[in-house]
């Protein structure tokens, strides 16, 4: 199984809503990532978890709150988002955060629209 | 700091023609290089990677890339384009930045004409 599964595929939320994005992998990877991708742009790193601990937060606003309940799951909790937060949110995993020669496996993404 | 430059945000080829997507990188340490493909409204899929060893790397779907240290390049090629190759392609480097993070190029949209 070389899949990273993200749910939901599409999400529309109002600016006062609270929602969560979910990501799951069963490859035994110990590093998991959240990326944000705007149209016609490359993915931008948001957060990195290594061995279930938050290792990197790329100065992401607090309205985005990541959580790693266990080594297979990664959540992104959303609250009071702005329309400019509308984007494709990608989850990825890799074998080990410190292993430079391993690739990241990406999920299919959640297309988020904030209205 | 490491960086990646993809020359040409859009490349158009005819079906059956050679595909050449350009990628140049900078890194103060030996880089690890990756090419990803993204189809509309989907995630990124790894096409191929260079870590160490042979500088000509073969990937999926008939793509290959050659690591040229002297030119700091890692161009992606395919001898004969197929309509299904139309997608966005991202070159990425993992080099000298803290935390071994991937740095992506700006992407190249490949269009294939019938």
């Amino acid at each position: 199984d070389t899949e990273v599964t993200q749910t939901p595929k599409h999400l529309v939320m109002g600016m006062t809503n609270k929602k969560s994005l979910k990501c799951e992998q069963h490859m035994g990877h110990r590093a998991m990532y959240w990326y944000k991708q705007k149209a016609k742009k490359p993915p931008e790193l948001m957060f990195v978890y290594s061995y279930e601990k938050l290792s990197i937060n790329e100065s992401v606003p607090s309205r985005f709150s990541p959580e790693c309940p266990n080594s297979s799951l990664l959540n992104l909790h959303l609250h009071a988002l702005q329309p400019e937060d509308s984007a494709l949110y990608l989850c990825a995993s890799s074998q080990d955060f410190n292993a430079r020669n391993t690739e990241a496996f990406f999920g299919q993404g959640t297309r988020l629209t904030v209205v | 700091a490491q960086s990646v430059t993809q020359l040409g945000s859009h490349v158009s080829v005819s079906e059956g023609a050679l595909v050449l997507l350009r990628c140049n990188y900078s890194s103060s340490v030996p880089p690890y290089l990756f090419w990803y493909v993204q189809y509309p409204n989907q995630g990124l899929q790894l096409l191929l990677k260079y870590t160490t060893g042979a500088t000509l790397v073969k990937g999926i779907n008939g793509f290959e890339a050659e690591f040229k240290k002297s030119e700091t390049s890692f161009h992606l090629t395919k001898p004969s384009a197929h309509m299904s190759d139309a997608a966005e392609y991202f070159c990425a480097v993992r080099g000298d930045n803290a935390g071994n993070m991937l740095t992506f190029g700006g992407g190249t949209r490949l269009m294939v004409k019938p």
Side-chain angles (χ1 to χ4, degrees):
Chain A
D1 183 3
T2 58
E3 281 195 355
V4 176
T5 303
Q6 289 187 244
T7 55
K9 286 189 174 13
H10 301 274
L11 178 62
V12 179
M13 62 184 289
M15 289 188 284
T16 59
N17 290 159
K18 285 184 180 181
K19 296 287 184 182
S20 296
L21 309 184
K22 297 185 183 301
C23 175
E24 189 169 5
Q25 58 88 14
H26 295 289
M27 295 178 278
H29 290 173
R30 302 316 299 267
M32 297 187 76
Y33 312 78
W34 281 115
Y35 286 85
K36 173 182 178 180
Q37 187 179 25
K38 301 286 275 186
K40 303 184 192 304
K41 297 290 186 183
E44 298 175 12
L45 183 66
M46 300 174 72
F47 303 104
V48 180
Y49 273 83
S50 178
Y51 289 83
E52 301 156 51
K53 292 190 182 338
L54 183 63
S55 293
I56 292 180
N57 176 342
E58 291 287 306
S59 303
V60 179
S62 60
R63 58 185 184 269
F64 295 91
S65 175
E67 178 196 20
C68 189
N70 60 54
S71 61
S72 300
L73 293 174
L74 186 66
N75 298 322
L76 186 63
H77 303 298
L78 313 172
H79 174 55
L81 294 192
Q82 303 297 310
E84 58 264 30
D85 296 321
S86 299
L88 182 68
Y89 287 84
L90 294 165
C91 174
S93 70
S94 68
Q95 187 172 15
D96 188 301
F97 183 55
N98 294 311
R100 294 177 64 228
N101 63 342
T102 60
E103 65 268 31
F105 291 79
F106 284 81
Q108 296 297 293
T110 294
R111 172 71 61 189
L112 175 67
T113 303
V114 182
V115 298
Chain B
Q2 61 194 32
S3 66
V4 178
T5 301
Q6 291 184 238
L7 291 174
S9 58
H10 293 80
V11 170
S12 181
V13 300
S14 297
E15 192 173 19
L18 172 71
V19 176
L20 171 61
L21 305 183
R22 299 178 187 274
C23 172
N24 289 88
Y25 69 90
S26 69
S27 175
S28 62
V29 300
Y32 292 146
L33 296 157
F34 306 83
W35 274 101
Y36 284 90
V37 61
Q38 185 176 32
Y39 298 100
N41 295 312
Q42 293 194 23
L44 278 68
Q45 180 183 9
L46 182 72
L47 277 177
L48 49 81
K49 67 177 181 180
Y50 169 77
T51 55
T52 57
T55 56
L56 182 62
V57 180
K58 294 188 185 301
I60 63 171
N61 301 339
F63 284 94
E64 63 182 36
E66 186 171 11
F67 170 62
K68 292 188 176 180
K69 183 179 177 181
S70 61
E71 298 178 8
T72 61
S73 69
F74 190 56
H75 303 330
L76 182 70
T77 61
K78 182 174 180 177
S80 176
H82 192 271
M83 296 297 289
S84 60
D85 295 326
E88 188 84 21
Y89 291 79
F90 291 100
C91 182
V93 64
R94 180 176 283 139
D96 55 8
N97 65 333
N100 295 322
M101 298 315 306
L102 281 174
T103 297
F104 286 94
T108 297
R109 178 162 297 278
L110 176 66
M111 295 167 283
V112 182
K113 299 174 291 186

